[in-house]
Amino acid sequence: LYDEMQSLEDKYGEILVKKDGKCGVINVKGIILVGIKYDYVKGDGYSKDGSYKDSGYVIGNKSSSGMVYGYIDKNENEIIKMEQETIYRVTEIESNDVYIVASLNGRYAVYKNKDNLTDYKYINVYYNNEAKTFTVQKNKFYGVVNLEGKIVVPEQYDELMVVGAFIKASKDGENYTFDLSGSRIEHPKF
């Protein structure tokens, strides 16, 4: 029936199958969950209360420039078009919304479901779990973006660190402190 079968990475209880060089996913009853038409399929790693039932899939195909990746939900609906250089779901965000970091032409963007919140303008994007924000790097400078894609702290700081409920930043040797909404704290007590 299949040329190869193995446990699907990052999606417990599902099976990666290969046939004629293409990959897909079945469940333990043999029902096809992801059509056997991709060069690459991986679970997105998201689980809620120990269940992977709401997680989706990173998919990929070979192109003339190498692998290109996309993202589909649990029902095989395309969420992110298969043209990304890299892609991953931010699994720390517990929400009905899917947050994805994807790259194109060496630049990263943050997606919320199908919506590109930031455009492809960052050379790095890091999720700050406790603060529910993203630290972004635009060229040599850092800033902070919230879960709606709004710039909380502009990308103009030489160094930036999110610490609990505060954002510590420095520029040209000067130190700055902001709260998570981006308001500057004039005389921080630390």
Side-chain angles (χ1 to χ4, degrees), residues 145-173:
V145 174
N146 69 15
L147 293 182
E148 299 306 313
K150 180 180 174 282
I151 295 172
V152 175
V153 174
E155 309 96 334
Q156 62 187 28
Y157 295 92
D158 302 321
E159 294 180 15
L160 186 142
M161 191 167 67
V162 178
V163 183
F166 300 97
I167 301 164
K168 306 282 284 170
S170 67
K171 180 179 179 179
D172 301 326

Side-chain angles (χ1 to χ4, degrees), residues 175-188:
N175 293 320
Y176 303 89
T177 302
F178 303 91
D179 64 19
L180 294 178
S181 66
S183 297
R184 182 154 179 224
I185 299 170
E186 289 298 332
H187 302 290

Side-chain angles (χ1 to χ4, degrees), residues 22-24 34-41 60-61 72 76 82:
K22 294 293 183 180
C23 300
V34 175
I36 304 163
K37 57 188 175 185
Y38 302 106
D39 294 323
Y40 176 89
V41 178
N61 277 331
I72 56 175
E76 267 195 285
M82 197 184 324

Side-chain angles (χ1 to χ4, degrees), residues 16-32:
L16 177 69
V17 294
K18 290 185 181 177
K19 185 166 180 70
D20 301 324
K22 294 293 183 180
C23 300
V25 178
I26 62 172
N27 66 13
V28 292
K29 296 178 181 168
I31 295 169
I32 294 175

Side-chain angles (χ1 to χ4, degrees), residues 124-156:
N124 271 315
V125 174
Y126 306 97
Y127 180 64
N128 305 303
N129 197 14
E130 285 183 31
K132 294 183 175 25
T133 60
F134 292 94
T135 297
V136 294
Q137 183 182 359
K138 186 175 181 181
N139 301 319
K140 296 188 307 186
F141 302 107
Y142 297 89
V144 174
V145 174
N146 69 15
L147 293 182
E148 299 306 313
K150 180 180 174 282
I151 295 172
V152 175
V153 174
E155 309 96 334
Q156 62 187 28

